[in-house]
């Protein structure tokens, strides 16, 4: 029964009966529409994945800028003690920490980035230590203890954290390039 029905359908579609020409056109148009819809869905998914990758690279790139802003504001806080500087420093620390936690906890963290965050460079450990040092500078009263905390923050902020953050950006860029290819 099934083969008879299939045979009739094939005869109607591919037979030589000119009265069935409209059916062939209908099947062809349906096939074209399905292909167009599939191409649109794939294109949209590809663009969305590229946008997501670009956003991750952007957030990761801003981390370096934020680390330097924290360092600058910490120096200004130690010099002036102005409440406005403290408020900007607190906001910068919070933004840095929030972005770091988001990047480190990504479910689809690329292997290159996972290595930078949790492998030998240990960006996760360094970023958490950097945030803690910045908070120590903010909470320690002016004096030798604050100067020591600031010196440790500068040492970490000018070399270790910045180079590791740049490594993370490079890792995210490699993953984005691989995904787009």
């Amino acid at each position: 029964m099934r083969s008879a029905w299939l045979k009739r359908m094939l005869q109607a579609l591919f037979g030589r009966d000119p009265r069935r020409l409209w059916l062939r056109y209908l099947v062809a148009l349906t096939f074209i529409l399905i292909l167009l819809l599939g191409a649109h869905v794939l294109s949209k998914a590809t663009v969305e994945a590229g946008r997501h990758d670009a956003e991750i690279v952007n957030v990761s790139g801003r981390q370096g800028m934020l680390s330097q802003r924290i360092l600058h504001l910490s120096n200004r806080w130690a010099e002036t003690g102005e409440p406005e500087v403290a408020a900007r420093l607190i906001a910068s620390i919070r933004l840095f920490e929030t972005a770091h936690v988001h990047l480190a906890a990504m479910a689809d963290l690329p292997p290159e980035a996972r290595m930078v965050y949790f492998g030998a460079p240990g960006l996760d450990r360094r970023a958490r230590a950097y945030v803690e040092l910045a908070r120590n500078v903010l909470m320690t009263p002016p004096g030798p203890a604050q100067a020591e905390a600031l010196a440790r923050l500068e040492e970490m902020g000018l070399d270790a954290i910045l180079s590791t953050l740049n490594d993370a950006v490079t890792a995210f860029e490699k993953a984005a390039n691989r995904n787009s290819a």
Side-chain angles (χ1 to χ4, degrees):
M1 179 162 176
R2 220 177 208 180
S3 67
W5 177 82
L6 183 60
K7 195 173 189 178
R8 280 197 316 254
M9 283 301 294
L10 289 175
Q11 182 64 30
L13 288 174
F14 301 112
R16 299 215 181 260
D17 187 3
R19 294 176 295 178
R20 300 288 182 159
L21 190 58
W22 66 270
L23 187 59
R24 291 182 209 144
Y25 285 125
L26 183 65
V27 169
L29 281 173
T30 303
F31 186 67
I32 290 170
L33 286 175
I34 288 171
L35 288 176
L36 283 173
L37 182 63
H40 175 71
V41 168
L42 285 175
S43 175
K44 192 171 183 176
T46 302
V47 167
E48 184 61 29
R51 188 195 63 72
H52 176 262
D53 288 343
E55 180 65 26
I56 296 300
V57 169
N58 189 10
V59 169
S60 181
R62 283 186 294 200
Q63 289 295 89
M65 184 255 331
L66 281 171
S67 73
Q68 297 310 294
R69 181 185 297 167
I70 289 169
L71 189 56
H72 171 71
L73 289 171
S74 294
N75 279 320
R76 281 201 48 210
W77 166 251
E79 291 171 5
T80 65
E82 294 175 358
E84 178 186 305
V85 174
R88 290 178 51 204
L89 178 57
I90 290 168
S92 295
I93 292 170
R94 187 175 300 127
L95 188 58
F96 179 86
E97 185 177 34
T98 302
H100 171 73
V101 167
H102 169 72
L103 290 171
M106 282 179 20
D108 58 345
L109 190 65
E112 303 95 338
R114 184 173 307 285
M115 192 65 186
V116 172
Y117 273 83
F118 304 108
L123 178 56
D124 185 53
R125 181 183 44 79
R126 285 181 179 173
R128 292 176 193 277
Y130 190 72
V131 166
E132 190 61 36
L133 280 173
R135 285 190 176 130
N136 282 343
V137 169
L138 189 62
M139 298 300 168
T140 305
Q146 187 185 49
E148 181 184 328
L150 187 59
R152 288 189 324 201
L153 184 70
E154 284 179 357
E155 179 184 326
M156 183 176 231
L158 292 176
D159 187 32
I161 193 78
L162 194 57
S163 67
T164 311
L165 287 169
N166 288 334
D167 291 344
V169 172
T170 303
F172 283 120
E173 286 173 343
K174 282 181 184 177
N177 289 336
R178 184 181 60 241
N179 291 343
S180 68

